[in-house]
Structure formats: C-alpha cells, structure tokens
Amino acid sequence: MPAGLAFALIALPVVGLGLRTDWPRLPELLLSEASLDALRLSLITATCSTAICILLGGPLAVVLARGRLPGLQFLRSIVLLPLVLPPVVGGLALLYLVGRTGLVGQGLELAFGITVPFTTAAVVLAQTFVALPFLVVSLEGALRTSGQRYEAVAATLGASPALAFRRVTVPLVLPGLLSGAVLAFARCLGEFGATIAFAGSLEGTTRTLPLLVYLARESDVDAAVALSLLLVVVAILVIAIARPRTVAS
C-alpha cells in the first residue's frame, strides 16, 4: 500500500497533465514562434552548459575520487552544494558575484566592457552551476568503482600514468561519464530558478522553455500545459537513456 501511494504521488500528476492537454491544438502550441525560440535557446544553452560540465567536472571528479588533498571532504561538500541549495539562491549568488557591482563582474566591466547578467552567457553559467554536481557525482562514483588495479597493471607493462589513464581508465568510466552528461543536460534543460534570478526572461536571449511555461500559465494555460508535457517527455527520455543498467538475477 505505501509503495502504491508513493507511485501514485509521482504518476498521477503527470497523468493529470496529459488529461488537461488540448491534444487537437498541441502541434499548433508547440510550433508557435515563441515555443520554437524557447526550445532552440534551451537546446543550445543546455548543450553548451553540458560541454562545460564535462570539461570542468571531469578533472574535478578525478581529484575527488583519486586525490589526497587535505580537506577533500570539505571540498566535496562544497561541490555538492548546488544539489541542496534552492536554485534561486544560486542565481542570486551568481548575480552578486558576476553582476556589475560583484567581485568579478565589476572587474570584467571595467577591464573589458563585458556584462554577464541578463545575457545568454548568464543562462549558460546558471545552468552549469546547478548541473555540474550531477556529472561530478556520477563520474566520481564510476572512478571509485573502477579502482586503480587496471592502471597498476598497465604501469607494469610500461605505460605512463597519462597513457594508462587515457587508454585504460577512460574506457572503464565512459558509461558513468555519459550517464552524468545526460543527467547534466536534463538538469540544464529544466533549470528555472537560477536562470530567472541571474539571467531574467528576455525573449530570444534568456527565455528558455521553463521560463516560457511560467509566463504562459498566466495568459495561455493550454500553451503552458503543452510545453510542460514536452518537458515531461524529454525527462522520460533522459531517464531511459541515463538509468543504470541492471542485470536480472
């Protein structure tokens, strides 16, 4: 009974969303100019943010999994902070760091004339902030599971540490890396709080799909429901791709 109630708590709201959808108008709602612009922006920014997560999160996961630095546990807790921090708080933190009066933003504006908030770059930065821990956690777990025994064997055969890592470790942790990248992409695609606090909602510049859903619910509920259903479908596809492979006993 408790398991059934738990499943119903998750599944029934999604069913209700499907029942509320105006199916005859669905193509029209999803193919509107505003929807396509938001979808295009969401896909572009999520792809860029995921690439940054891989470039920065990969080395960070290696340090957390293999490093022997003092205070490594504290460092890990800081890395995982965006997982528990309300996204809007993360957006405000980014705003006061990279904004015009922020510690970094003021220097960027004075030295290079660069303003980050309320630009597409701000969307990418906000998405990267909230999605990076997903990739780090997934890849760190893969690195810990793979261990270092195969690298040790490669070293006895004359392989350098860099060669052993590239030819032995990377193929072993590749499923974890791909899973983390897919989860990070999905998190980027669904990001709302940090984006609206740091990047705002400018059509064609910072208005991603979640922001469009938020705005559409005030003026066109059918459009908001259709876009919400689109995000649900994307989430289901991501779960199907990223879920761990299990072996039936």
Side-chain angles (χ1 to χ4, degrees):
M1 181 64 71
L5 291 175
F7 179 79
L9 183 62
I10 297 172
L12 289 182
V14 178
V15 173
L17 194 65
L19 294 175
R20 178 60 180 78
T21 301
D22 188 351
W23 293 100
R25 290 186 60 208
L26 187 63
E28 172 193 344
L29 295 171
L30 294 180
L31 296 177
S32 67
E33 184 177 353
S35 300
L36 292 177
D37 283 344
L39 177 60
R40 175 189 56 81
L41 183 64
S42 293
L43 293 176
I44 291 175
T45 54
T47 301
C48 293
S49 300
T50 304
I52 296 174
C53 287
I54 294 173
L55 292 175
L56 301 182
L60 181 56
V62 174
V63 170
L64 294 177
R66 303 283 176 84
R68 303 185 185 278
L69 300 174
L72 198 61
Q73 193 64 33
F74 176 74
L75 177 62
R76 182 178 291 107
S77 65
I78 296 298
V79 172
L80 299 181
L81 189 60
L83 290 177
V84 296
L85 196 67
V88 68
V89 175
L92 290 176
L94 290 172
L95 182 63
Y96 293 128
L97 174 69
V98 196
R100 290 185 174 182
T101 59
L103 180 65
V104 176
Q106 190 173 17
L108 287 175
E109 187 171 8
L110 291 175
F112 306 102
I114 297 176
T115 303
V116 178
F118 309 107
T119 64
T120 304
V123 177
V124 173
L125 189 57
Q127 290 177 347
T128 303
F129 175 81
V130 299
L132 186 61
F134 288 87
L135 185 131
V136 172
V137 168
S138 181
L139 185 54
E140 183 190 0
L143 285 165
R144 290 184 180 277
T145 302
S146 67
Q148 295 179 273
R149 57 188 182 276
Y150 296 112
E151 292 178 1
V153 172
T156 62
L157 297 176
S160 65
L163 180 62
F165 185 82
R166 187 173 68 252
R167 299 293 297 274
V168 177
T169 306
V170 171
L172 286 174
V173 303
L174 190 58
L177 175 61
L178 294 177
S179 177
V182 172
L183 290 175
F185 179 83
R187 184 65 186 86
C188 292
L189 204 60
E191 162 52 30
F192 172 77
T195 303
I196 198 170
F198 181 48
S201 180
L202 304 175
E203 186 173 359
T205 303
T206 65
R207 186 173 297 170
T208 56
L209 268 179
L211 271 66
L212 182 60
V213 171
Y214 179 77
L215 293 175
R217 72 186 182 90
E218 300 292 341
S219 57
D220 189 349
V221 176
D222 290 338
V225 171
L227 294 172
S228 299
L229 191 64
L230 175 62
L231 287 173
V232 168
V233 171
V234 171
I236 292 174
L237 292 176
V238 166
I239 293 171
I241 295 173
R243 67 187 175 88
R245 295 180 181 274
T246 57
V247 180
S249 57

